[in-house]
């Protein structure tokens, strides 16, 4: 990695924590199963810790989204054939990725990781695989099973578009500056688009309604919206409307949302 990139100081305002352990970096890149035919997008390359290994894969197209102007310039100079896009990944038009299968990878800032994942899994129809490092607590939520405390709105949403796999924990000591909590790496494998929710807007609405009052029974939360169709849905599923939101499966969230 170039000296210029290494000298760059982390900016707290951008949630920057730079990876410095090459073994961890290689494991993260290997998890995306890169090949020479791949189109890979990296979110927040920072000093290029993952980028260095991504470049070595010989992927046919490699794009980096970096909102720090100084880092973007230095990455451009270090790897001229790397396509560096200077912008906030939250504002990237994910639906525009339609030129064929793509893979997305990144060490995501803690403050925007969940929002980015929410958008990417539901908007990139050409996604082949994604691997993200996130705060450990978020990783446990992303991979939680129905009925457990960690299962939440993010779990219900993401698992209607992807299957998620918890890969490994990453300690604070491999970052500079060191965060105060553990991180973890999660792999996302998309479901076929034809199995995606028929009404994603309704699903999103239902998830937000239910998990804003997650300690209450579903029948209580939906009292003002209750109708015969919802009543019949619970009967057909063979479950009580008195259960709490975390006891529904992701697919049950999707089918129930269509009855609202």
């Amino acid at each position: 990695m170039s000296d210029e990139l290494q000298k760059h100081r982390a900016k707290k305002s951008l949630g920057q924590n730079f990876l410095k352990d090459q073994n961890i970096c290689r494991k993260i890149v290997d998890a995306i199963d890169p090949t020479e035919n791949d189109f890979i997008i990296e979110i927040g390359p920072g000093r290029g810790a993952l980028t260095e290994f991504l470049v070595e894969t010989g992927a046919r197209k490699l794009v980096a989204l970096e909102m720090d102007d100084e880092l973007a310039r230095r990455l451009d100079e270090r790897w001229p054939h790397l396509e560096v896009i200077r912008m906030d990944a939250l504002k990237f038009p994910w639906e525009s990725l339609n030129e064929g299968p793509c893979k997305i990878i990144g060490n995501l800032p803690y403050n925007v990781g969940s929002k980015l994942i929410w958008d990417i899994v539901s908007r990139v129809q050409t996604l082949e695989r994604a691997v993200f490092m996130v705060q450990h607590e978020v990783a446990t939520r992303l991979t939680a099973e129905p009925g457990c405390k960690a299962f939440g709105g993010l779990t219900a949403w993401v698992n209607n578009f992807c299957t998620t796999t918890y890969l490994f924990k990453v300690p604070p000591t491999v970052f500079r500056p060191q965060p105060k909590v553990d991180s973890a790496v999660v792999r996302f494998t998309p479901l076929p688009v034809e199995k995606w929710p028929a009404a994603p807007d309704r699903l999103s609405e239902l998830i937000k309604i239910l998990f804003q009052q997650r300690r209450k029974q579903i029948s209580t939360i939906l009292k003002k919206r209750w109708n015969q169709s919802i009543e019949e849905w619970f009967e057909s599923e063979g479950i009580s409307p008195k259960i709490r939101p975390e006891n529904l499966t992701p697919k049950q969230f999707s089918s129930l949302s269509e009855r609202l």
Side-chain angles (χ1 to χ4, degrees):
M1 194 184 301
S2 72
D3 289 340
E4 286 298 308
L5 280 167
Q6 286 184 326
K7 290 176 183 176
H8 184 87
R9 297 187 67 179
K11 295 177 181 176
K12 191 174 182 180
S13 61
L14 298 180
Q16 292 176 339
N17 296 90
F18 300 127
L19 267 170
K20 67 181 185 70
D21 187 305
Q22 291 199 323
N23 290 327
I24 294 291
C25 292
R26 187 178 293 281
K27 281 180 69 175
I28 294 172
V29 171
D30 286 347
I32 207 169
D33 194 20
T35 71
E36 293 181 355
N37 295 320
D38 283 343
F39 168 26
I40 302 175
I41 301 103
E42 182 184 3
I43 298 173
R47 292 176 177 172
L50 295 181
T51 316
E52 190 166 7
F53 291 99
L54 289 169
V55 169
E56 288 179 1
T57 68
R60 67 175 177 83
K61 183 173 183 180
L62 188 57
V63 173
L65 303 181
E66 178 56 63
M67 68 181 296
D68 185 315
D69 288 339
E70 185 181 355
L71 275 176
R73 176 181 61 79
R74 291 177 176 179
L75 288 164
D76 224 354
E77 293 171 354
R78 174 68 178 85
W79 293 290
H81 59 289
L82 172 68
E83 183 181 340
V84 182
I85 300 176
R86 305 184 186 195
M87 72 177 300
D88 183 350
L90 286 171
K91 299 178 181 178
F92 186 78
W94 295 106
E95 295 90 344
S96 69
L97 296 175
N98 53 16
E99 60 181 80
C102 66
K103 295 177 179 179
I104 306 179
I105 191 170
N107 168 25
L108 304 183
Y110 288 166
N111 58 340
V112 297
S114 296
K115 179 66 170 70
L116 272 172
I117 291 169
W118 182 288
D119 289 347
I120 290 168
V121 300
S122 60
R123 292 165 59 185
V124 183
Q125 294 194 7
T126 56
L127 185 64
E128 183 178 353
R129 175 175 292 188
V131 173
F132 297 127
M133 180 153 59
V134 294
Q135 188 173 345
H136 184 262
E137 179 187 348
V138 174
T140 58
R141 286 164 51 202
L142 285 164
T143 55
E145 294 293 331
C148 71
K149 190 175 181 181
F151 189 96
L154 182 65
T155 329
W157 177 261
V158 169
N159 283 274
N160 266 288
F161 299 91
C162 292
T163 58
T164 54
T165 307
Y166 183 105
L167 296 182
F168 53 90
K169 184 185 285 189
V170 182
T173 51
V174 303
F175 295 94
R176 285 291 180 272
Q178 291 187 25
K180 296 179 180 179
V181 295
D182 288 326
S183 301
V185 178
V186 178
R187 181 173 60 228
F188 301 77
T189 305
L191 299 172
V193 174
E194 56 269 21
K195 292 187 177 182
W196 285 16
D201 289 344
R202 290 188 185 181
L203 172 60
S204 175
E205 180 186 11
L206 177 66
I207 286 172
K208 289 171 183 176
I209 290 170
L210 292 184
F211 282 101
Q212 282 172 353
Q213 305 178 70
R214 63 174 300 156
R215 303 319 301 160
K216 293 184 178 180
Q217 298 174 355
I218 295 177
S219 56
T220 301
I221 303 171
L222 296 181
K223 186 175 181 180
K224 293 181 179 179
R225 297 168 179 262
W226 203 261
N227 57 40
Q228 185 64 33
S229 181
I230 293 176
E231 182 79 40
E232 291 172 352
W233 182 88
F234 278 95
E235 291 177 0
S236 66
E237 291 291 322
I239 55 177
S240 169
K242 293 184 178 182
I243 63 172
R244 290 173 175 169
E246 67 264 25
N247 291 299
L248 294 180
T249 68
K251 288 304 174 189
Q252 285 174 331
F253 272 96
S254 181
S255 61
L256 176 58
S257 70
E258 296 173 21
R259 302 295 183 102
L260 286 181

